[in-house]
Amino acid sequence: MRTQGTIIIRGIVQGVGFRPFVYAQAQKFDITGTVKNLGSEVEIHAFGDRFEEFLGAVSRGPPLSHIDSVEVRDLRGNRPEEFVILGSSSGSLSGFIPADVAICDDCVSDILTPGGRYEGYWATSCVNCGPRYSIITAIPYDRERTAMEAFPMCAACKKEYTDPSCRRHHAQTIACAACGPRLSLLRADGTPVLGDPIQEAAALLDAGFIVAVRGIGGFHIACIEEAAGELKRRLGRTEQPLAVMVTAGEVERIAVVSDEDRRILHSRERPIVVLAKRDPASHAGISNLHTIGCMLPYTGLHHLLFTHLAHPLLVMTSANLPGHPMITDLAVALGRLSDEVDYILTHDRRIVNRCDDSVVRDGYIIRLSRGLAPKRAAIDLGDACILGVGPELNANISVYRNGFCITSPHVGNVRNPETLAYLQETAEKIGGLVGARYDTVVHDLHPQFLSTRYAREVAEATGAEILPVQHHRAHIAAVTRDECVGIAIDGVGYGDDGTVWGGEVFAGRVPHLDRVAHLEVVPMPGGDLATRFPERMLYGILPTDPIRDLLSSRGWSDMELAVLARQVERGLNVAATSSTGRVLDAAAALLGICRERTYDGEPAMKLESAAYAGRPAAWEIEFSRDGGCEVLSTRALLSEAHRRLLAGARVGDIAASVQYNLARGIAVMAVRVAEERGIPRVALSGGVAYNKAIRETVLGEVRAAGLEVVMNREYPLGDGCISFGQVVYGGSVGVRRSTGK
């Protein structure tokens, strides 16, 4: 039996309290020696008769760690008298810093317990909780390489920091009211408000004022439910649903919460969870859908606000334009939010790395961000170092090196210079933290995306190979590398033939995915204009006199209709698309549910809400062949919907039937391909799969055929998975160069 040895533990071992955890185990098992942080691994020299017990304990790690491997090497020398924590040094960069996590129950108790030294202190945290990614500047993770460097520890904090029996032992974020970051409450013009910032902010919120709140990864805008309408008016988002922060008891009162939802709500990641309302018509001023996004308080500041609030619910939305980066700087907030908020509750701890709230629905990730990202996944893609720069909308980046892929938090819509700059900043930060030297840069097939331009710049600067990947193939690559029939249903993606894809069925194995079926290719009159005004999409699919009469009855002029008709007839400024999202948009327009899109996904989301109480009926589905692919007729589907509308059928029933038959038709095509090619599994991805009725219909049809279904629960179903899929695709192509080692 061994009594001494060098233990090398690799994985996510920084910022998780690993060294103090090892120290505590050493005391427990009478072990002497040292522990040292070496970048992404911990090196332990251990001596003692209970070495094997100690090894078993440290191999499990503290709560926030993730262990990849444990190696034991021979160790010679005499046993020292004590166990010592040594200073950090750089070493392997195969691991990564963990994501920001919610304040733990012990720290909540500390701030709410009268008489303790942390009573009422908003930035309380320990080795088991609090900010990590949002404050780090470099690896190894020590206080001097975080935003906490600006706050030297007082004597009391230093005592706890060096006390092995304290859970704040070597907690880099340790701080208290005497030495830590401080809060201030400002008017929108920047002048200070006297009094306790949290108490005053709570009173202002209760009175109906709108307050910007600086959090872990950026600013939010908060208000009570009664002020939601005014907030939407100021933001210019009168239709967009907003998320709420609520107490645990209140969320059970307003929404239907499954066991899985409850687990996610209370997890240390604390994402926004999209839930069905108990009363679909309730809280309409916050969300006019049948769902509402809820999150529990996840910082000490949030918990303290709720102790002073009379209201159990706060609207809490990101203080930035949709698709743009979170605002992190006070000066920027004062400049941009003066017309939108009345007050600003802020602090003086620098936000090094932005991080928006994560969003989850039915256990599937919608937005990969705070708590869930940066995400580190073990995957063998060979020895090349690969960068995936993502798509245009809902973008993030992924970096692969040495058997691990790191995916960044949500960046936004890379259609403007500000978000492009944030994408570049994120890629440089994460690439630097993992020591990346790129062999391959993978980008979307669309030649005009700003992310494509950035990929070319990186490749030119580094000498890396550049690889374009079709959007929907990246979707499937993010789900599985096994042979499959892949269904990708979403809004838009540039296709091999230059048309706009979005309702696709593939067959094969990454990187060889053949397009074998798709939705009918239909005109998008005006291109992107048809996504804003879905009645244009409706006419593109059904350019008939009855539809012209319908549009005329809704206020379209004869001249507007004539121009629209000429566009479709002559193909002037008309894109061709097989997009699932555009079909749902057209259905929403047909039924009068949404005539203008004011936020991403609005027509389809409102169609889903209208269908929530409806009863679907099976309609006849029409198929054809085109260029070797099977094609589902969406014209026939919408023609039947129009016929039933004219016959007086309920809008909710028609909406439910459109969703059901569209999903059933897609599934039928996928099953046929699987049976013809002898492929046992079907992969499903794309933003439309968040629609529960559509998703469950596809899954039901596929399973009924005896096929396996695979979906991605580790990455978003929408475009937030694309950068990861790009990296997987790039690794599957098989580029190998020595610089990636």
Side-chain angles (χ1 to χ4, degrees):
M1 180 179 293
R2 288 175 295 196
T3 59
Q4 62 191 62
T6 296
I7 305 168
I8 305 295
I9 302 179
R10 299 181 178 89
I12 297 181
V13 293
Q14 296 190 68
V16 297
F18 211 102
R19 287 176 295 170
F21 167 78
V22 170
Y23 185 98
Q25 301 306 310
Q27 302 305 302
K28 179 178 179 180
F29 295 106
D30 193 26
I31 298 293
T32 61
T34 61
V35 59
K36 187 174 186 177
N37 184 353
L38 297 175
S40 296
E41 61 190 38
V42 167
E43 180 185 73
I44 307 165
H45 295 321
F47 300 78
D49 294 338
R50 301 179 69 183
F51 177 88
E52 297 294 344
E53 293 176 84
F54 171 73
L55 173 62
V58 298
S59 297
R60 290 187 287 273
L64 298 182
S65 67
H66 182 89
I67 309 301
D68 294 327
S69 65
V70 178
E71 178 186 353
V72 181
R73 301 171 182 169
D74 291 338
L75 175 64
R76 296 182 179 180
N78 297 324
R79 175 174 179 169
E81 295 184 357
E82 59 182 353
F83 195 88
V84 178
I85 296 177
L86 300 178
S88 300
S89 64
S90 60
S92 167
L93 296 176
S94 61
F96 204 72
I97 204 70
D100 301 320
V101 293
I103 184 173
C104 67
D105 290 343
D106 289 333
C107 285
V108 173
S109 178
D110 286 345
I111 66 176
L112 299 182
T113 300
R117 81 180 199 90
Y118 292 103
E119 179 189 1
Y121 184 58
W122 70 277
T124 299
S125 64
C126 68
V127 293
N128 298 321
C129 69
R132 297 292 192 276
Y133 173 72
S134 62
I135 64 170
I136 189 171
T137 59
I139 285 176
Y141 176 80
D142 285 309
R143 194 179 181 97
E144 62 268 23
R145 287 178 286 274
T146 73
M148 294 302 295
E149 180 188 19
F151 306 97
M153 286 179 273
C154 65
C157 284
K158 189 71 172 180
K159 181 179 179 182
E160 290 189 8
Y161 182 84
T162 56
D163 180 2
S165 66
C166 179
R167 75 175 192 281
R168 293 185 173 88
H169 185 211
H170 275 254
Q172 307 303 341
T173 55
I174 187 173
C176 68
C179 66
R182 299 189 177 187
L183 288 173
S184 57
L185 181 64
L186 309 175
R187 295 179 179 85
D189 63 4
T191 58
V193 177
L194 300 178
D196 179 89
I198 296 176
Q199 290 184 25
E200 294 298 324
L204 290 165
L205 286 164
D206 276 329
F209 290 100
I210 297 171
V211 180
V213 180
R214 189 179 194 180
I216 290 178
F219 279 87
H220 290 89
I221 300 179
C223 69
I224 58 174
E225 182 168 11
E226 291 80 356
E230 173 62 14
L231 173 58
K232 286 187 174 186
R233 185 194 67 76
R234 293 188 192 182
L235 295 176
R237 306 183 213 164
T238 56
E239 293 295 311
Q240 187 171 0
L242 302 176
V244 298
M245 181 173 283
V246 291
T247 60
E250 182 68 5
V251 72
E252 301 280 352
R253 188 186 69 80
I254 68 175
V256 179
V257 186
S258 69
D259 289 342
E260 182 181 31
D261 292 330
R262 192 172 294 109
R263 177 189 63 78
I264 296 170
L265 277 166
H266 288 267
S267 68
R268 64 168 62 99
E269 292 81 10
R270 294 289 170 91
I272 298 169
V273 180
V274 179
L275 302 167
K277 299 175 186 174
R278 289 195 177 275
D279 174 5
S282 65
H283 307 288
I286 297 172
S287 169
N288 55 17
L289 305 176
H290 70 288
T291 57
I292 187 167
C294 300
M295 59 179 159
L296 302 182
Y298 60 84
T299 69
L301 175 57
H302 297 148
H303 283 278
L304 290 167
L305 267 177
F306 273 92
T307 64
H308 296 291
L309 277 170
H311 291 77
L313 176 155
L314 280 181
V315 171
M316 191 76 78
T317 188
S318 300
N320 50 279
L321 291 172
H324 285 65
M326 291 258 318
I327 295 173
T328 59
D329 184 75
L330 176 59
V332 174
L334 287 168
R336 293 188 183 177
L337 302 179
S338 59
D339 294 331
E340 298 172 352
V341 305
D342 303 306
Y343 295 89
I344 297 177
L345 179 60
T346 187
H347 59 76
D348 58 355
R349 183 177 65 204
R350 183 165 66 103
I351 298 172
V352 179
N353 302 304
R354 295 176 175 91
C355 212
D356 211 335
D357 294 314
S358 291
V359 184
V360 176
R361 181 181 181 187
D362 299 327
Y364 296 99
I365 300 168
I366 295 177
R367 184 163 64 208
L368 185 76
S369 209
R370 178 190 50 77
L372 299 174
K375 181 174 181 61
R376 175 178 178 270
I379 183 171
D380 183 8
L381 297 175
D383 59 2
C385 183
I386 307 170
L387 169 65
V389 299
E392 182 180 47
L393 304 181
N394 298 312
N396 53 23
I397 64 99
S398 290
V399 176
Y400 171 80
R401 181 176 182 268
N402 289 348
F404 294 94
C405 182
I406 307 293
T407 299
S408 78
H410 170 80
V411 169
N413 296 347
V414 189
R415 285 179 166 175
N416 58 79
E418 183 183 10
T419 310
L420 176 64
Y422 178 31
L423 184 86
Q424 295 170 323
E425 172 193 328
T426 302
E428 291 167 5
K429 171 58 70 72
I430 290 181
L433 290 174
V434 302
R437 297 173 61 195
Y438 298 119
D439 300 312
T440 308
V441 181
V442 192
H443 63 86
D444 193 273
L445 185 62
H446 199 299
Q448 295 179 354
F449 282 177
L450 293 180
S451 56
T452 298
R453 187 182 75 185
Y454 171 58
R456 294 187 185 121
E457 291 172 355
V458 173
E460 184 177 348
T462 62
E465 301 287 342
I466 191 163
L467 177 66
V469 175
Q470 199 280 323
H471 182 93
H472 300 97
R473 291 188 175 95
H475 262 294
I476 303 306
V479 179
T480 181
R481 288 189 287 167
D482 294 332
E483 185 181 33
C484 70
V485 173
I487 300 173
I489 46 176
D490 68 356
V492 295
Y494 191 78
D496 296 344
D497 56 4
T499 64
V500 180
W501 290 6
E504 313 305 315
V505 179
F506 300 96
R509 185 195 307 267
V510 176
H512 306 295
L513 293 170
D514 300 325
R515 189 192 194 203
V516 292
H518 55 82
L519 299 187
E520 184 174 12
V521 178
V522 295
M524 286 177 64
D528 284 346
L529 201 61
T531 67
R532 180 179 174 187
F533 298 104
E535 286 175 338
R536 299 180 68 89
M537 195 68 234
L538 171 62
Y539 187 81
I541 297 176
L542 293 179
T544 63
D545 289 341
I547 294 300
R548 288 184 66 172
D549 292 342
L550 175 67
L551 299 185
S552 177
S553 71
R554 293 178 178 177
W556 283 67
S557 70
D558 291 342
M559 180 177 293
E560 289 171 329
L561 289 170
V563 170
L564 180 62
R566 281 198 300 272
Q567 271 192 305
V568 174
E569 290 167 7
R570 301 177 184 177
L572 300 173
N573 190 25
V574 173
T577 183
S578 57
S579 164
T580 311
R582 298 295 79 82
V583 175
L584 297 174
D585 289 356
L590 172 67
L591 299 176
I593 294 167
C594 183
R595 299 184 60 200
E596 180 180 357
R597 187 206 67 186
T598 63
Y599 60 88
D600 285 346
E602 179 181 1
M605 292 165 69
K606 287 186 172 178
L607 182 76
E608 181 188 5
S609 282
Y612 183 66
R615 298 182 62 181
W619 299 347
E620 184 177 348
I621 307 172
E622 293 185 14
F623 300 96
S624 62
R625 303 290 301 184
D626 180 26
C629 291
E630 186 169 27
V631 177
L632 170 63
S633 174
T634 51
R635 284 191 171 95
L637 183 69
L638 289 186
S639 291
E640 180 63 17
H642 188 213
R643 187 187 70 78
R644 290 177 182 253
L645 182 65
L646 293 175
R650 293 176 62 247
V651 166
D653 293 342
I654 300 173
S657 298
V658 168
Q659 292 182 161
Y660 172 69
N661 290 287
L662 180 63
R664 187 164 62 94
I666 292 168
V668 165
M669 293 192 299
V671 168
R672 283 177 183 158
V673 172
E675 292 174 345
E676 289 168 1
R677 299 201 177 197
I679 299 174
R681 71 186 56 81
V682 173
L684 175 62
S685 187
V688 172
Y690 291 123
N691 181 309
K692 185 175 183 179
I694 291 177
R695 181 180 70 248
E696 294 303 318
T697 298
V698 172
L699 298 185
E701 293 286 332
V702 171
R703 287 170 178 153
L707 300 170
E708 176 191 0
V709 179
V710 286
M711 294 185 68
N712 203 335
R713 287 189 179 267
E714 297 300 315
Y715 294 85
L717 300 179
D719 285 1
C721 75
I722 293 295
S723 70
F724 174 67
Q726 289 172 341
V727 164
V728 172
Y729 196 100
S732 300
V733 168
V735 176
R736 299 289 184 271
R737 288 173 62 187
S738 61
T739 56
K741 294 180 180 179

